[in-house]
């Protein structure tokens, strides 16, 4: 963000939560992005949440020499409730295998990187997929698509009303292997292009 190298403290909306600034300084602007939008500074923070915290997002603000930032959100992931993306998963031939429901913490690591996830579906199963990226401050402009075992495109999603994060739901026509594919709409990527992929199936 902007002016984070002057961060004094982090305030969380939950009164029982607290945060401690570990380091701060300059940061590289994400590739082909404007400094005014994503900033050229960073702050590293250690966050402590109470054991009974119930939400999936923790709202916070940052105190700097320039004042108080606008509220931002931090994703809260519980042990055992998510999986890490595992490279190399960049093709239908070598996807990362998942079992629904799950949440994947991933990253589009470089320009033209593609993340492919496979799962076994049932006939008539309603699957829902959602990306959280822009809503968490990531520069990733994600697209999301669903393919069958013959590599035929079944559904795709780009921006949603109000943000750039895609969401899609689809009823599977037959039992078999299916693929979700995540990529950046502009073929950008890098260390800051993180995302959460939330998958459910009914």
């Amino acid at each position: 963000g902007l002016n984070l190298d002057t961060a004094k403290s982090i305030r969380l909306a939950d009164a029982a939560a607290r945060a401690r600034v570990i380091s701060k300084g300059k940061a590289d602007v994400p590739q082909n992005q404007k400094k005014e939008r994503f900033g050229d500074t960073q702050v590293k923070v250690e966050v402590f949440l109470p054991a009974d915290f119930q939400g999936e997002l923790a709202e916070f603000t940052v105190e700097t020499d320039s004042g108080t930032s606008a509220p931002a959100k931090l994703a809260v992931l519980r042990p055992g409730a998510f999986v890490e993306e595992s490279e190399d998963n960049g093709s239908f031939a070598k996807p990362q295998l998942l079992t629904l429901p799950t949440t994947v913490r991933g990253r589009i690591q470089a320009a033209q990187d593609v993340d492919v996830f496979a799962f076994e579906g049932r006939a008539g199963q309603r699957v829902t997929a959602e990306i959280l990226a822009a809503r968490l401050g990531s520069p990733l402009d994600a697209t999301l698509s669903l393919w069958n075992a013959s590599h035929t495109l079944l559904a795709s999603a780009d921006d949603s009303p109000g943000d750039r994060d895609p969401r899609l739901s689809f009823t599977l026509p037959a039992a078999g292997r299916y693929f979700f594919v995540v990529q950046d709409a502009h073929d950008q990527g890098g260390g800051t292009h993180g995302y959460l992929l939330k998958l459910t199936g009914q």
Side-chain angles (χ1 to χ4, degrees):
L2 294 170
N3 303 314
L4 294 180
D5 54 341
T6 66
K8 298 176 180 178
S9 63
I10 309 294
R11 296 184 180 178
L12 289 107
D14 189 312
R18 59 189 179 88
R20 180 171 64 92
V21 174
I22 296 176
S23 64
K24 51 190 175 182
K26 295 296 183 181
D28 294 332
V29 179
Q31 185 179 20
N32 296 330
Q33 304 293 340
K34 294 182 179 180
K35 180 186 74 172
E36 292 75 17
R37 181 172 184 180
F38 290 101
D40 59 352
T41 60
Q42 63 184 355
V43 60
K44 185 176 181 180
V45 179
E46 192 171 32
V47 177
F48 302 89
L49 297 176
D52 59 353
F53 185 86
Q54 297 298 316
E56 295 184 353
L57 297 171
E59 187 174 282
F60 68 94
T61 57
V62 183
E63 292 286 336
T64 72
D65 287 345
S66 301
T68 302
S69 72
K73 295 177 181 178
L74 180 70
V76 178
L77 300 175
R78 291 168 174 80
F82 72 100
V83 296
E84 298 282 2
E85 178 212 351
S86 178
E87 294 285 355
D88 178 25
N89 61 337
S91 68
F92 291 126
K94 295 198 301 181
Q96 181 173 347
L97 301 180
L98 302 175
T99 300
L100 276 55
T102 192
T103 295
V104 180
R105 181 166 66 179
R107 179 181 295 109
I108 299 299
Q109 299 193 21
Q112 301 182 340
D113 183 24
V114 177
D115 292 342
V116 182
F117 304 96
F119 68 97
E120 298 298 323
R122 308 186 309 272
Q125 183 179 21
R126 186 73 172 174
V127 294
T128 300
E130 176 183 13
I131 291 282
L132 284 86
R135 285 172 287 171
L136 299 176
S138 172
L140 178 66
D141 186 3
T143 65
L144 183 61
S145 54
L146 175 66
W147 305 71
N148 66 13
S150 299
H151 306 163
T152 299
L153 178 64
L154 301 178
S156 63
D158 195 345
D159 297 348
S160 299
D163 61 64
R164 297 185 303 162
D165 291 339
R167 305 165 179 82
L168 69 79
S169 292
F170 190 82
T171 300
L172 304 180
R177 174 160 290 191
Y178 292 87
F179 303 89
F180 277 114
V181 177
V182 180
Q183 58 194 113
D184 184 85
H186 310 288
D187 285 333
Q188 302 298 314
T192 59
H193 286 62
Y195 65 85
L196 296 179
L197 171 61
K198 301 180 68 175
L199 301 172
T200 59
Q202 298 179 344

